[in-house]
DNA sequence: GCCGCGGTTAGACAAAGTCCAATCTTTGAC
DNA sequence: GTCAAAGATTGGACTTTGTCTAACCGCGGC
């Protein structure tokens, strides 16, 4: 849960390292994503980015999120069939999902072990293993 | 992977046991779901049910799937942000998801163990733990 | 036969996300 | 700094998945 506040220069460097041109809009979106440790959906990001003055369109938010995802800067979290959440934490970890509140919490993968997984069919590679612990409030 | 073919009477009994009135449409949908061991999305079920002669509407398919889900007859599988899949297998199990083909395969939970899960915050109960192994074809 | 109640329906609607062609920025070469 | 090419952004139309609604159907009980 590094709530690190990235400087403009750090964000620019972060994007350039992935070969991404650091446009104004992308920096705004990166700032929203990386300066807080939440799991945000596209519409929330759109709202946050345009909070002060509207300058980023819906299309750009989606383009940018997909770009960041493809570059491995962020991860998609698929727990709610209604919308995708984006996770700035790219460390191996899993999720606790509160069905009632919609709240998503990280579970570090470090101290977690899964045993007994079957062998993969030949010609397949594991992209990742996602564990979602679905909880309800009593 | 019981590819059991349920008789009409068995399906009726199955629904009645859950207090569900066995209407024609519900039986058709139950038949499609339980007579094959696949993970189907709502639109696929709609198409399959109306294959011979159209007699079930989109609204009824969605109503019925939600009803079956609430009664525990089927499970939702959330792996693809585009659509929910419905799983007639209610035994504890997890999923292998092929990102490229969209194919979903069951992983029995029996021989699988997870250790090191953190304690839940107080006042919360686990509804279920879903593991998704995302694979790619080489 | 008639009533009432649940189930079904078409179609309108909503929300998430994609696509497109026009326009604007960024960048690298000079 | 200037300029052109390449790349990014945009509004709005569109698609897809799923929900809602109000009318309608059908069946059991009387």
């Amino acid at each position: 849960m590094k709530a690190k506040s990235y400087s403009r220069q750090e964000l620019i460097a972060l994007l350039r390292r992935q070969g991404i041109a650091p446009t104004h809009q992308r920096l705004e979106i990166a700032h929203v994503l990386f300066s807080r440790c939440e799991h945000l959906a596209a519409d929330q990001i759109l709202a946050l980015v345009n909070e002060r003055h509207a300058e980023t369109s819906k299309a750009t938010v989606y383009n940018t999120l997909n770009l960041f995802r493809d570059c491995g800067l962020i991860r998609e979290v698929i727990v709610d069939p209604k919308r995708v959440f984006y996770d700035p934490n790219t460390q191996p970890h899993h999720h606790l999902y509160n069905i009632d509140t919609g709240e998503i919490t990280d579970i570090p993968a470090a101290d977690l072990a899964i045993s007994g997984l079957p062998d993969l069919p030949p010609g397949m590679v594991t992209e990742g293993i996602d564990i979602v612990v679905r909880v309800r409030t009593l």
Side-chain angles (χ1 to χ4, degrees), chain A:
Chain A
M1 299 269 173
K2 27 133 215 207
K4 184 178 176 191
S5 174
Y6 287 87
S7 74
R8 183 176 184 80
Q9 285 316 311
E10 284 172 309
L11 287 176
I12 290 176
L14 201 65
L15 297 198
R16 276 217 224 274
R17 224 173 293 141
Q18 308 293 328
I20 299 174
T23 66
H24 187 191
Q25 287 88 338
R26 285 172 180 169
L27 286 171
E28 288 289 325
I29 293 169
H31 175 73
V32 162
L33 281 166
F34 297 125
S35 71
R36 69 195 75 208
C37 285
E38 287 165 42
H39 302 80
L40 297 171
D43 59 324
Q44 299 176 299
I45 293 166
L46 179 61
L48 285 168
V49 157
N50 290 324
E51 215 164 42
R52 314 186 71 181
H53 31 260
E55 52 193 358
T56 306
S57 72
K58 186 176 65 156
T60 299
V61 169
Y62 279 104
N63 286 343
T64 303
L65 289 172
N66 290 338
L67 178 67
F68 285 5
R69 187 241 294 123
D70 292 345
C71 291
L73 282 176
I74 56 176
R75 262 175 56 177
E76 281 181 345
V77 181
I78 300 168
V79 286
D80 178 348
K82 286 203 159 3
R83 53 233 249 269
V84 173
F85 288 93
Y86 291 90
D87 191 343
N89 179 0
T90 51
Q91 297 299 108
H93 71 282
H94 303 289
H95 293 102
L96 191 81
Y97 178 58
N98 189 317
I99 304 171
D100 296 324
T101 65
E103 197 189 354
I104 301 173
T105 322
D106 283 358
I107 302 174
D111 15 67
L112 207 145
I114 316 170
S115 59
L117 273 179
D119 291 337
L120 288 187
M124 292 194 179
V125 235
T126 303
E127 267 291 300
I129 298 180
D130 295 350
I131 303 181
V132 178
V133 180
R134 271 163 224 278
V135 299
R136 234 172 354 99
T137 322
L138 263 183

